[in-house]
Amino acid sequence: MEDQLKYELGILIFVLILARILYLIHKITTGFSREATSKRTLPCKTIVCIGSGGHTTEMLTLLNTLTFSKYSPRYYFMAKTDTTSYAKVKTLESVKKQNDSYKIFEIPRSRVVGQSYLTSVFTTLYSILYCIPLILKIKPELILCNGPGTCIPICLISFLLKAAFILDTRIVFIESFCRTQTFSLSGKILMYFADNFLVQWPSLKQRLKRAEYIGQLM
């Protein structure tokens, strides 16, 4: 009898979590989560997902326009092998002169360019497991990302923790400048999980009704 009760309780919890996930996805895809529920008065604990190459340049260009005191502390997540982006982030922070308000985390890549989708399932899973304790420790209020595969584990973990009422994180995705007609793989995934989906070309705005056209960052 006790085992049956535990089994039924487990099913109930699963159904409730599934319902919560579907509710959040519906809210996001219909555009009802684009606006913040209340005006902030305190700095926002922010995770910034850094890719490589053009992704890094675009993200740093965006960050350079922000008032850092409003997005603090900042936690940069990037691939362990991306030494170039690491140096660029350090340079940006030194220019902004708020060195005590940020931290850089180097995580495993979920997928590298040219990697097969089959093997990327396993590398993404490893990256997710690696990031879970970091996300739980940071408890981010905002995630900024613009397409690198590095952002997928971070966003999925935060979304699931939000579904479980553990976190309340807003995900903002900016589609890459080079995407003029079609969405990136990250964009195709995060259009179901990102509260705000920003595009840099009007043609992409036409492809996704809830997308927000912001013009070109570059």
Side-chain angles (χ1 to χ4, degrees), residues 181-196:
Q181 298 295 331
T182 60
F183 296 109
S184 62
L185 177 60
S186 296
K188 291 176 181 177
I189 295 172
L190 290 179
M191 65 174 59
Y192 299 101
F193 304 111
D195 298 283
N196 296 86

Side-chain angles (χ1 to χ4, degrees), residues 50-52 78 100 103 117 125 133 154 180 191-192 199 207:
I50 299 294
S52 58
M78 64 185 65
D100 58 339
K103 188 171 184 178
Y117 290 128
L125 179 60
I154 298 166
T180 61
M191 65 174 59
Y192 299 101
V199 296
R207 287 180 173 271

Side-chain angles (χ1 to χ4, degrees), residues 45-183:
K45 192 183 300 184
T46 304
I47 283 181
V48 182
C49 299
I50 299 294
S52 58
H55 286 300
T56 299
T57 302
E58 286 184 48
M59 181 56 74
L60 295 185
T61 300
L62 173 64
L63 292 176
N64 203 37
T65 66
L66 301 182
T67 303
F68 272 25
S69 60
K70 295 181 179 180
Y71 302 88
S72 179
R74 294 169 301 285
Y75 301 93
Y76 295 91
F77 278 66
M78 64 185 65
K80 289 183 176 180
T81 55
D82 193 359
T83 54
T84 301
S85 294
Y86 187 98
K88 288 182 177 180
V89 168
K90 297 283 285 187
T91 299
L92 175 67
E93 287 288 343
S94 65
V95 170
K96 289 284 189 176
K97 297 180 179 179
Q98 296 193 28
N99 295 335
D100 58 339
S101 303
Y102 81 99
K103 188 171 184 178
I104 298 176
F105 291 97
E106 298 175 280
I107 66 174
R109 286 185 183 272
S110 56
R111 184 175 184 269
V112 297
V113 177
Q115 183 180 353
S116 69
Y117 290 128
L118 179 60
T119 58
S120 66
V121 171
F122 298 100
T123 52
T124 299
L125 179 60
Y126 173 62
S127 185
I128 288 174
L129 294 175
Y130 186 95
C131 291
I132 288 175
L134 297 178
I135 300 298
L136 287 171
K137 181 180 179 180
I138 294 172
K139 295 182 173 62
E141 297 167 298
L142 173 67
I143 295 176
L144 296 176
C145 54
N146 68 328
T150 308
C151 73
I152 298 299
I154 298 166
C155 292
L156 289 181
I157 293 168
S158 299
F159 176 81
L160 292 175
L161 290 174
K162 183 176 182 177
F165 298 98
I166 297 175
L167 295 181
D168 186 15
T169 305
R170 173 168 290 270
I171 300 173
V172 176
F173 175 78
I174 307 100
E175 184 59 279
S176 175
F177 172 81
C178 65
R179 289 290 175 169
T180 61
Q181 298 295 331
T182 60
F183 296 109

